[in-house]
Every structure is written in C-alpha cells, then in structure tokens.
C-alpha cells in the first residue's frame, strides 16, 4: 500500500468514527428529549404521545379537582381555555396548586388520560412558564 492509500484509509476511519460518535450522541439526545404540548395539541392529535414522557401545560380547570378520600390519588383537568385534558396524579400536590392557576405536568398518555409523574405549580401570581403562556394566548385568539 502506498503512503497516499494509507492516509486515505486513515482519513476514512476517522470520518467513520466521527459519524458514529455524532449518531450515538443524537440518538441519546432524542431519547431524553422532553416535549411540551398544550391540551389543544393533544386533543387534535398533533402530539406524538405514544409511549413517551412529555410535558403538558396550561391552567387547572375550574371545578375539575377530584380528590380521593382514602388515598393521595388526584384527578383534575388542564385547559388552555380552548380544550381540556384529564390528568391523574398520585402524590402530594404543590402548596400553590389550585384551580385557575398555571401548571406544568410531566407524565405519559394512557387510555385518554395523562398519568402524571410530576406536577409543578406556578410560584407566584405573576409567573407562568413561557410555553404555557404562549399556548393560552394562542387559544384565546382562536376563540375570537
């Protein structure tokens, strides 16, 4: 093999190694990516929720909170003022959680209900996650 051919083989091995590294990095990133959806996107089936963990944001719908008397199971609806999605959560809710307030829920979609792993309530009356605020504003413009 001539020196030129040896250099070409070396360059090809380096390029193959770099491509493999980039491919594995992108695959790992996609597995850990956590998408944010609104209730309207989920109801319209625009969200790829099958077997994935994702975030749902909006407002806790008025008169939707149902607490189980003998356990810590809670059901409530999250709305963007246009559509609502039922959420089931087993755990202690944040102190600031209440109807009419902003919330972001992390979990998965099962049989038409979001099974939540985590519930985050907005921390004061002036804050709402930017994604949730944008979704509510977009839903309000659709209603008009």
């Amino acid at each position: 093999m001539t020196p030129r051919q040896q250099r070409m083989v070396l360059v090809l091995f380096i390029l193959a190694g770099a491509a493999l590294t980039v491919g594995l990095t992108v695959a790992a990133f996609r597995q850990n990516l956590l998408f944010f959806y609104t209730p309207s996107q989920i109801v319209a089936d625009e969200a790829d929720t099958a077997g994935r963990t994702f975030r749902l944001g909006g407002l806790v719908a008025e008169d939707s909170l149902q607490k189980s008397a003998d356990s810590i199971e809670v059901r409530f609806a999250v709305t963007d003022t246009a559509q609502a999605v039922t959420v089931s959560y087993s755990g202690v809710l944040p102190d600031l959680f209440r109807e009419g307030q902003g919330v972001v829920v992390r979990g998965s979609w099962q049989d038409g209900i979001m099974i939540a792993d985590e519930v985050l309530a907005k921390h004061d009356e002036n804050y709402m996650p930017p994604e949730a605020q944008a979704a509510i504003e977009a839903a309000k413009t659709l209603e008009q």
Side-chain angles (χ1 to χ4, degrees), residues 81-105:
T81 68
Q83 297 291 335
V85 172
T86 302
V87 176
S88 177
Y89 178 65
S90 184
V92 178
L93 291 169
D95 290 337
L96 297 174
F97 180 89
R98 62 184 171 272
E99 294 175 344
Q101 294 294 320
V103 68
V104 175
V105 181

Side-chain angles (χ1 to χ4, degrees), residues 38-50:
T38 64
S40 292
Q41 288 174 313
I42 291 174
V43 170
D45 205 26
E46 296 173 7
D48 180 21
T49 59

Side-chain angles (χ1 to χ4, degrees), residues 4-69:
R4 180 182 174 133
Q5 290 172 333
Q6 288 177 346
R7 282 192 303 261
M8 186 61 80
V9 168
L10 179 63
V11 168
L12 289 175
F13 276 126
I14 289 172
L15 287 175
L20 180 65
T21 302
V22 168
L24 291 174
T25 302
V26 168
F29 181 71
R30 287 185 60 107
Q31 286 179 341
N32 294 321
L33 196 58
L34 195 61
F35 290 101
F36 178 88
Y37 297 114
T38 64
S40 292
Q41 288 174 313
I42 291 174
V43 170
D45 205 26
E46 296 173 7
D48 180 21
T49 59
R52 294 191 136 176
T53 298
F54 63 96
R55 292 182 301 153
L56 169 69
L59 300 172
V60 178
E62 295 290 336
D63 301 322
S64 68
L65 186 60
Q66 302 170 355
K67 295 182 179 181
S68 175

Side-chain angles (χ1 to χ4, degrees), residues 110-123:
Q110 294 177 8
D111 301 324
I113 296 176
M114 178 157 187
I115 307 300
D117 300 325
E118 181 180 29
V119 175
L120 303 172
K122 70 181 196 173
H123 61 69

